[in-house]
Amino acid sequence: MTIDTASAPFRLAVAASFTAEPLRNVISFWGSQLNANFDVAFAPYNQIAQTLLDPHSVIGSNAHGINIVLARLEDLGSVKDLGRVEENSRELSEHLREAAQRLRAPLLFCLCPSASSFPPRVETTLAASLEDTPGLQFLSSAQIERLYPVSEPHDPEGDRLGKIPYTELYYTALGTALVRHAHALFRPPLKVVALDCDNTLWNGICGEDGSEGVSLDAPRRALQEFMVEQRECGVLLSMASKNNEQDVLETFAAHPEMPLALRHFASWRLNWQSKSENLVSLSEELGLGLDSFIFVDDNPKECAELSGALPEVLTLALPADIERTPEFLNHVWAFDHPVITEEDRNRNAYYAQQHEFGAEVQRASSLDEFMAGLKLRVSIQPLDRARLPRAAQLTQRTNQFNLTTVRRSEAEIRSLDGYEVYTAEVGDRFGDYGLVGVVITKERDNELVVDTFLLSCRVLGRGVEHRVAAFLGEKAMASGLSHVIFPYERTKKNAPAATFLDSIDFAERRESRGGFVVKAPASKLVDFRWSSNQRAAPTTAAKPHAATHRRAVDYACIANQLATPEAILQAVRGRRAQAQTSASMTETEAQLAGIWANLLDKPHVRASDNFFDLGGHSLLAVLLLLRIRETFGVELSIDDVYSGTLTLSDLAARIETAQLGGIDPAEYAALLAEIEGMSDEEARQLLDDAAANP
């Protein structure tokens, strides 16, 4: 599943222990920024358990999107009765874990900040109880604070009036964090970071300043540390820089204090060719598509040229103010990794094994002899709970050897009805490659239909695909089925899968819309083995072609312009309707009209309009009061706005009265006119009388 405009609306279904509707505007804003078709739905107020248990609720019926549960500890009980809070926390945890196993969309639970001071152990215990629950993600208030700090998140007046416990600024931070987490769960992964060297990895030019003449300042040290963390999350690091290779190698040797070392890089291209040529070369060597690359450089001109030549590469120019580098990197959403599997942590080792494999293939006297001594091990097992995150990740990531490229989340795989899911783990004499394959099948009539058959490209060319096909033949025969059906949907990248299916020379093939279908006799498939006479699936990607599309999300713009709650809130408000006011409006009326237009999404607001006639309701009335307090510095009651006859002009007058300490604006204007008409002697006498009779 991906978040895009081509699919059905992506639903964000929200259940909360407080009023969550103020999140709607910020979520909708991010939908426009991500070019995503968002649908936001809210469960009834403070009905988390009921919503999780009801299969027809906004969460229970959500089949395409993400389910979000928000809670505060004080909504689970008083700080004076911790026993009750802990009991309710355990009950909430049970509901969340049970629902995560049943729901069709992933579940994200966020423990929001509390106005009361609870012992840290309460949150820690709740978070620990949710660990390692398939289909369930946990987001803490501390994680939100780290990325989107708000000095004062709480709004006691909003909480009192409408159970709106947070300021608009904090709702902005919370909504942004939720969308960002959802985006990271569903976006196509970026697998390789290619780095420039001079003035990017270090300060200076190693070819001119010498290897010992360059330095590592604080921002570039932070960049290197950030890239080490990315590598630990499974990202491959490479260098693509216009340098003499020896100069760069000597620079690393001369600076052992640098967080990055040569051993951290899967490969590099250090020469005077164009960056685009070098990235294409790296793509071919690593067997990964260019759309899985991020390129980072300090030079905007180089970035512009690369972006024009290879628009599928995410090209990032570091900020001109180098001190902003750490903040910039932390707000490039493409670097987020909400789920990290064991295979991710070992990915760099796997690619080293693949490189060694390729080198020995080149040195071997014959391919048949090499394969005979490979000692290939393929373990195919029914999917279990521990392997579910990796299986879902593979459906999202695998492109080259993937017959149908159907993308599925953990929840979607778990909820498959009538299907059987298997995983394949692979090893050979070069090492273990981990869980690298997923097969999903369904019996239909007298046939075994393969819904999904995918393998990581790093194990292609070893005969793994043949072992899996033979397993499918055995499975079909054990169930009394005559044939195995392999549907193939053609994409721009999965040619290796088609090549493999073509090698099954005893199978029938018929063309279908967008691809073809292969029908293989199960009795013959059980003996299917790798042979040098077959057309084998290539072990690396085909040479990339120039892309005709650009990325749908401008990650650099988000990192540069939408990195703080204040900037995001300003953009959210700017996106909403702006009132077209008349010249006859007072300044207060014009400002109030802007607030109404923003809350009601109405471009035309007149002084004679009524808030509720324009679509206002009780929740918006509370938000209106909070905006009035923020804009005009006055406190109005709910009775001041909750009227079927109150017009914008009337409300503006009440605001002005409150600003004047209770004096009616008309009386104030008359008094001011009277004072202005007095002579100096009369005004002095009036002041003397006021002083004598305070």
Side-chain angles (χ1 to χ4, degrees):
M1 182 193 299
T2 57
I3 300 177
D4 57 42
T5 54
S7 62
F10 183 91
R11 167 164 283 196
L12 294 96
V14 183
S17 63
F18 53 87
T19 302
E21 278 77 0
L23 292 170
R24 185 186 299 276
N25 284 352
V26 67
I27 291 175
S28 297
F29 166 79
W30 281 114
S32 66
Q33 296 296 306
L34 301 174
N35 293 303
N37 186 8
F38 279 174
D39 168 38
V40 189
F42 294 94
Y45 161 75
N46 199 22
Q47 293 190 19
I48 292 176
Q50 299 93 316
T51 302
L52 290 174
L53 292 170
D54 182 2
H56 305 294
S57 69
V58 295
I59 282 180
S61 61
N62 188 10
H64 181 73
I66 188 168
N67 296 313
I68 298 170
V69 173
L70 310 172
R72 302 184 302 165
L73 287 178
E74 57 257 58
D75 295 328
L76 302 177
S78 169
V79 71
K80 296 179 181 179
D81 188 357
L82 289 180
R84 182 174 182 81
V85 174
E86 291 170 338
E87 179 182 348
N88 288 336
S89 295
R90 284 192 294 271
E91 183 177 340
L92 174 60
S93 173
E94 291 172 5
H95 286 310
L96 290 167
R97 291 198 305 270
E98 188 278 330
Q101 302 302 310
R102 173 175 38 82
L103 295 172
R104 289 176 288 173
L107 180 59
L108 172 60
F109 173 63
C110 178
L111 193 58
C112 300
S114 298
S116 304
S117 297
F118 288 86
R121 77 169 191 274
V122 180
E123 178 172 346
T124 302
T125 301
L126 178 57
S129 70
L130 301 174
E131 285 183 358
D132 300 324
T133 302
L136 178 63
Q137 296 280 306
F138 176 75
L139 181 64
S140 69
S141 58
Q143 291 172 286
I144 300 173
E145 172 69 16
R146 182 180 67 82
L147 289 172
Y148 301 104
V150 175
S151 59
E152 182 45 67
H154 304 287
D155 189 337
E157 183 65 9
D159 199 5
R160 183 184 70 81
L161 290 173
K163 294 301 179 182
I164 302 175
Y166 302 119
T167 63
E168 188 178 9
L169 189 63
Y170 189 77
Y171 273 106
T172 300
L174 175 59
T176 299
L178 294 172
V179 173
R180 180 169 176 173
H181 199 94
H183 177 70
L185 282 174
F186 290 104
R187 66 166 171 77
L190 293 160
K191 303 177 182 178
V192 187
V193 177
L195 296 158
D196 176 59
C197 291
D198 293 333
N199 291 320
T200 297
L201 287 180
W202 48 71
N203 181 30
I205 301 173
C206 62
E208 297 178 4
D209 302 320
S211 59
E212 296 184 357
V214 302
S215 61
L216 189 66
D217 52 24
R220 292 178 177 88
R221 174 175 287 277
L223 180 146
Q224 290 200 19
E225 291 171 345
F226 182 89
M227 294 304 165
V228 170
E229 292 174 359
Q230 288 293 308
R231 185 180 185 275
E232 291 172 353
C233 292
V235 175
L236 301 179
L237 299 184
S238 63
M239 288 183 283
S241 188
K242 291 182 178 179
N243 290 91
N244 291 322
E245 182 175 15
Q246 192 59 35
D247 291 338
V248 172
L249 301 184
E250 290 175 358
T251 299
F252 277 102
H255 293 275
E257 77 281 4
M258 292 197 304
L260 277 176
L262 286 175
R263 61 182 173 82
H264 291 120
F265 294 93
S267 189
W268 55 74
R269 296 294 184 273
L270 304 170
N271 51 47
W272 298 100
Q273 293 178 303
S274 69
K275 300 285 177 69
S276 59
E277 290 177 291
N278 282 330
L279 286 185
V280 168
S281 176
L282 285 168
S283 171
E284 293 173 346
E285 176 188 336
L286 297 173
L288 296 170
L290 285 165
D291 58 355
S292 64
F293 274 67
I294 304 177
F295 176 70
V296 181
D297 198 329
D298 70 292
N299 190 328
K301 181 175 180 293
E302 291 272 9
C303 289
E305 290 176 353
L306 180 62
S307 184
L310 299 175
E312 64 267 54
V313 173
L314 173 54
T315 302
L316 301 174
L318 294 176
D321 177 6
I322 198 65
E323 297 296 329
R324 286 196 59 249
T325 295
E327 178 191 9
F328 173 81
L329 294 173
N330 282 327
H331 287 282
V332 175
W333 292 20
F335 284 124
D336 292 348
H337 304 279
V339 178
I340 302 174
T341 66
E342 191 63 28
E343 282 76 12
D344 291 328
R345 296 185 180 93
N346 294 326
R347 182 167 289 111
N348 281 274
Y350 295 150
Y351 273 89
Q353 293 166 5
Q354 183 180 355
H355 181 77
E356 184 181 357
F357 174 90
E360 286 217 20
V361 169
Q362 296 297 321
R363 292 194 296 266
S365 58
S366 78
L367 190 55
D368 287 311
E369 179 183 341
F370 175 83
M371 294 296 286
L374 187 57
K375 299 180 181 178
L376 181 66
R377 304 183 301 277
V378 181
S379 174
I380 303 173
Q381 302 291 336
L383 176 67
D384 61 25
R385 172 175 169 171
R387 294 177 173 88
L388 179 58
R390 172 59 177 168
Q393 186 184 69
L394 278 171
T395 72
Q396 299 284 339
R397 291 186 171 189
T398 307
N399 295 306
Q400 293 184 57
F401 195 97
N402 191 334
L403 270 60
T404 55
T405 64
V406 176
R407 313 300 188 185
R408 287 190 172 99
S409 66
E410 292 181 36
E412 288 173 312
I413 293 176
R414 191 176 54 251
S415 63
L416 287 173
D417 185 23
Y419 291 81
E420 292 187 330
V421 185
Y422 296 87
T423 58
E425 298 184 33
V426 175
D428 58 27
R429 66 184 177 87
F430 293 95
D432 291 322
Y433 300 93
L435 199 166
V436 292
V438 175
V439 180
I440 302 175
T441 65
K442 185 173 187 177
E443 295 184 14
R444 186 184 64 194
D445 299 330
N446 193 36
E447 300 168 338
L448 183 68
V449 180
V450 179
D451 169 271
T452 296
F453 179 10
L454 61 86
L455 291 171
S456 170
C457 60
R458 66 172 177 257
V459 296
L460 297 184
R462 290 164 168 77
V464 177
E465 51 270 51
H466 302 77
R467 295 280 186 92
V468 175
F471 164 80
L472 292 172
E474 293 169 2
K475 174 175 162 49
M477 291 191 68
S479 300
L481 306 176
S482 62
H483 289 81
V484 178
I485 307 299
F486 298 91
Y488 171 79
E489 295 293 330
R490 185 176 291 105
T491 71
K492 293 180 179 179
K493 299 181 180 180
N494 67 346
T499 301
F500 168 71
L501 292 178
D502 287 342
S503 72
I504 309 177
D505 53 12
F506 50 82
E508 300 175 18
R509 169 173 165 158
R510 62 176 175 83
E511 297 300 315
S512 66
R513 185 177 179 180
F516 57 84
V517 176
V518 168
K519 182 177 181 180
S523 58
K524 291 187 177 181
L525 204 58
V526 294
D527 297 320
F528 189 46
R529 297 291 184 269
W530 178 89
S531 168
S532 59
N533 295 323
Q534 298 169 348
R535 294 177 60 195
T539 58
T540 60
K543 184 175 181 179
H545 297 285
T548 57
H549 66 280
R550 293 186 178 273
R551 290 186 173 273
V553 179
D554 191 341
Y555 291 106
C557 178
I558 292 173
N560 281 314
Q561 300 178 22
L562 298 170
T564 66
E566 292 79 7
I568 299 166
L569 178 57
Q570 184 178 0
V572 171
R573 288 181 175 177
R575 174 178 170 267
R576 305 289 290 171
Q578 298 296 316
Q580 298 177 11
T581 59
S582 67
S584 62
M585 280 187 175
T586 66
E587 181 180 348
T588 301
E589 288 173 341
Q591 286 182 282
L592 188 59
I595 295 174
W596 281 29
N598 193 264
L599 290 175
L600 300 168
D601 203 14
K602 301 286 185 183
H604 300 284
V605 179
R606 299 169 298 181
S608 59
D609 282 335
N610 175 272
F611 186 74
F612 296 95
D613 289 343
L614 293 180
H617 48 75
S618 56
L619 174 59
L620 287 177
V622 173
L623 295 176
L624 174 60
L625 288 175
L626 300 179
R627 288 288 296 274
I628 288 173
R629 183 184 64 185
E630 174 190 336
T631 304
F632 300 103
V634 299
E635 297 276 358
L636 298 183
S637 71
I638 194 69
D639 293 335
D640 286 319
V641 299
Y642 218 101
S643 168
T645 60
L646 186 75
T647 66
L648 183 139
S649 181
D650 295 334
L651 186 56
R654 293 189 184 186
I655 292 171
E656 292 174 347
T657 298
Q659 288 176 323
L660 295 171
I663 302 176
D664 184 88
E667 295 179 9
Y668 178 80
L671 179 61
L672 184 61
E674 180 182 347
I675 293 174
E676 288 177 345
M678 291 181 177
S679 65
D680 291 345
E681 292 76 10
E682 289 173 327
R684 189 175 298 109
Q685 183 61 48
L686 183 64
L687 291 173
D688 291 342
D689 291 344
N693 301 283

